[in-house]
Amino acid sequence: MKHKGNKKLPGRLTRNLSLKLLSVGVAFLIWLVVANVDNPTQSKLFRDIKIEIINEDSVTEIDKAFDIVSEDSVVIKVTERRRVLENLSASDFTVVADMENLTEMNTVPLTVTCSNEAVTLDEITVVPSSMKVDLEQIQESEFVVTIETTGTPQSGYEVGTTEVVQGKTVQISGAESLLERIGTVTATVSVNGISTDQRLSSTLTIADKNGDTLSETQMSRLQIKDSTGVLLSDNTVNVDVELWEVLYEVPIEIETSGSPENGYEITDVSTVPTTVNLVGTQEALETIDSLVVSTPVSVAGANETFTQELDISETINSMENVRLAQGVDSTISVTVQVEKNGNQTVQIALSDLTVLNRPENMVLTFSPADAISVTVHADDEESTILASEITATIDLAECSVAGDYEVPVTIELPEGYTLVSEVTLIVNAVETEQIEAATEECF
């Protein structure tokens, strides 16, 4: 008996073939649409990718230096599936400029690699695609090294002297255009908290004439040697720092020249400030008891008290291994008390004044704040009056209302003395309630 079932199988497969092929095509299209919607192809930019330069020796071997004219970084555009892009970062790319491939147009083609194997070269676009350079003859110039210190030594010390061990200057070679832009070469060291002399290391910093620090790429284009021509390792120098001690509150002494007007005399010479802080080596400071200002103050023809400013820089500069402490002004104020023969000026402390009618509801502020000056004339020029012999009285009755007042001070003198000029005291009166209210606002 013969079986005929198998003969009908090819017919079944080919039956409605066009419809079946159409179904497969539609299914593929649906899959393609879904795939593109779920994981579409996109483009993403990666900016500021630094260019790595290799085989620089191929340029320096012909005694040439190069300077990058274009930017030293590029923008990379990657076109890929979204899921691939999401896993990419700038660190996945390496951009290399091989100086052996330098063209006659002074450009170097850029080569890009990606650590992600899913990204192929045809999916990467680099902008710009090459690096533009200028070729120049190598030049060498000498520059002075400026030393800067940061921080503060321990109390009682200041930086006295600093010196670069390798010499005051360095020799820098590189492209002429880059050398011409150099403004300063600086060695910076920290002296914070030190109390003894130190030898500190510092990596040189180079800035252009606008004060902008050279980039790492520009620094790599330079070769730095010490003053003797020895190449500096990592552009590092050693700086010797010598500390000086601070001598506090050195009395200031002023000398005068000339003579006052006939019938007048110099009764006192005072300064503001009365003392000054100096810094120096221990040996130099041991010889200083006071600061005698080398420039005398002329009193020739003077017939009244006068004040003038005096610069003590010349005096300080004449002293070896000594200078003013940090923050000390070199200008002082000198007051020369000139009195008529027989006149005397006595300082009476405010605490020694007899005060009458002081208002209880007022806070009083006095000017001057510490003492008043009383000038008297002695019938006997040889006699000297003491502050304890003078009675000074002030009546504050008028200060019961807030305001500013010039209040006379009554002076009683022993026999043989007369008051040369009236004495007054400036008084500022403020109600106590106002002071308390202002204090509450602050808190």
Side-chain angles (χ1 to χ4, degrees):
M1 186 175 181
K2 296 183 180 178
H3 298 280
K4 299 179 180 180
N6 291 339
K7 294 183 179 179
K8 295 181 180 181
L9 185 59
R12 292 177 181 177
L13 292 175
T14 57
R15 186 181 303 163
N16 299 322
L17 181 60
S18 59
L19 183 59
K20 292 178 179 178
L21 291 176
L22 179 61
S23 298
V24 172
V26 170
F28 175 75
L29 290 174
I30 293 174
W31 173 84
L32 191 62
V33 170
V34 171
N36 278 278
V37 169
D38 184 55
N39 189 25
T41 299
Q42 297 177 339
S43 295
K44 185 176 180 180
L45 297 180
F46 299 88
R47 303 179 184 276
D48 297 325
I49 309 298
K50 293 295 182 181
I51 300 173
E52 178 184 344
I53 301 174
I54 63 174
N55 295 323
E56 298 181 35
D57 293 345
S58 62
V59 176
T60 57
E61 284 175 356
I62 58 175
D63 204 25
K64 294 284 186 179
F66 68 91
D67 191 18
I68 300 175
V69 178
S70 58
E71 295 292 331
D72 60 355
S73 63
V74 298
V75 175
I76 292 179
K77 177 182 177 182
V78 180
T79 302
E80 248 293 355
R81 296 288 184 183
R82 184 185 65 187
R83 292 174 184 170
V84 175
L85 293 178
E86 288 176 348
N87 294 321
L88 285 179
S89 65
S91 60
D92 292 324
F93 299 94
T94 303
V95 181
V96 175
D98 190 341
M99 296 306 296
E100 288 187 347
N101 298 327
L102 180 65
T103 68
E104 295 181 356
M105 301 297 293
N106 287 345
T107 61
V108 184
L110 299 178
T111 303
V112 183
T113 57
C114 181
S115 59
N116 191 322
E117 296 180 355
V119 180
T120 58
L121 291 180
D122 60 326
E123 297 170 328
I124 300 175
T125 303
V126 183
V127 180
S129 60
S130 62
M131 182 179 70
K132 177 70 175 176
V133 299
D134 271 346
L135 283 184
E136 302 178 51
Q137 202 70 28
I138 291 180
Q139 301 290 332
E140 186 174 78
S141 298
E142 189 173 41
F143 296 88
V144 175
V145 179
T146 301
I147 301 174
E148 290 185 359
T149 60
T150 60
T152 305
Q154 286 190 15
S155 178
Y157 295 93
E158 289 186 13
V159 175
T161 63
T162 56
E163 183 180 12
V164 177
V165 176
Q166 289 84 353
K168 296 180 179 179
T169 61
V170 290
Q171 300 171 22
I172 303 179
S173 58
E176 183 179 6
S177 61
L178 185 55
L179 293 183
E180 289 177 350
R181 284 150 59 184
I182 294 177
T184 58
V185 179
T186 306
T188 303
V189 291
S190 173
V191 297
N192 199 46
I194 68 174
S195 59
T196 58
D197 297 346
Q198 300 280 331
R199 173 167 290 185
L200 306 171
S201 64
S202 172
T203 300
L204 294 177
T205 301
I206 300 178
D208 61 23
K209 293 175 181 177
N210 293 323
D212 297 324
T213 303
L214 297 190
S215 66
E216 291 184 11
T217 302
Q218 290 172 319
M219 288 293 294
S220 67
R221 304 277 83 76
L222 300 174
Q223 189 179 68
I224 306 177
K225 304 175 183 177
D226 66 17
S227 57
T228 64
V230 176
L231 185 66
L232 294 177
S233 176
D234 298 325
N235 299 334
T236 299
V237 295
N238 293 321
V239 178
D240 280 343
V241 178
E242 180 184 9
L243 292 185
W244 286 0
E245 297 181 13
V246 181
L247 183 61
Y248 296 97
E249 297 184 352
V250 179
I252 300 175
E253 294 186 13
I254 302 295
E255 296 181 341
T256 61
S257 62
S259 301
E261 184 178 316
N262 190 29
Y264 291 82
E265 62 180 341
I266 306 301
T267 59
D268 185 53
V269 178
S270 60
T271 65
V272 177
T274 58
T275 63
V276 67
N277 295 340
L278 300 178
V279 177
T281 62
Q282 184 178 8
E283 294 77 9
L285 296 180
E286 286 176 350
T287 63
I288 299 176
D289 295 320
S290 62
L291 180 66
V292 181
V293 180
S294 58
T295 304
V297 176
S298 174
V299 298
N303 57 13
E304 62 180 356
T305 298
F306 66 91
T307 299
Q308 73 176 56
E309 291 188 342
L310 199 62
D311 192 340
I312 61 176
S313 296
E314 184 178 344
T315 302
I316 300 297
N317 293 338
S318 66
M319 305 170 69
E320 188 175 357
N321 294 330
V322 174
R323 70 159 190 267
L324 289 173
Q326 290 181 359
V328 176
D329 196 337
S330 63
T331 301
I332 63 173
S333 178
V334 181
T335 299
V336 180
Q337 195 81 29
V338 181
E339 305 284 0
K340 193 172 183 179
N341 289 342
N343 286 3
Q344 301 173 37
T345 299
V346 182
Q347 300 295 316
I348 307 294
L350 294 190
S351 59
D352 293 334
L353 265 64
T354 300
V355 179
L356 304 176
N357 301 314
R358 182 173 188 139
E360 296 181 356
N361 64 329
M362 291 290 170
V363 175
L364 304 179
T365 304
F366 302 98
S367 180
D370 52 354
I372 58 173
S373 297
V374 180
T375 301
V376 301
H377 180 77
D379 295 338
D380 181 3
E381 296 182 3
E382 301 296 326
S383 65
T384 300
I385 190 171
L386 301 176
S388 59
E389 299 178 88
I390 301 175
T391 301
T393 305
I394 186 169
D395 189 343
L396 299 176
E398 63 179 312
C399 301
S400 60
V401 179
D404 294 319
Y405 302 89
E406 185 176 7
V407 183
V409 180
T410 302
I411 303 297
E412 295 181 16
L413 302 172
E415 187 176 350
Y417 296 92
T418 57
L419 190 64
V420 173
S421 58
E422 293 184 355
V423 179
T424 60
L425 191 61
I426 302 298
V427 182
N428 172 256
V430 180
E431 292 183 5
T432 305
E433 293 180 356
Q434 293 183 2
I435 298 293
E436 292 175 349
T439 302
E440 291 177 358
E441 289 181 2
C442 293
F443 293 94

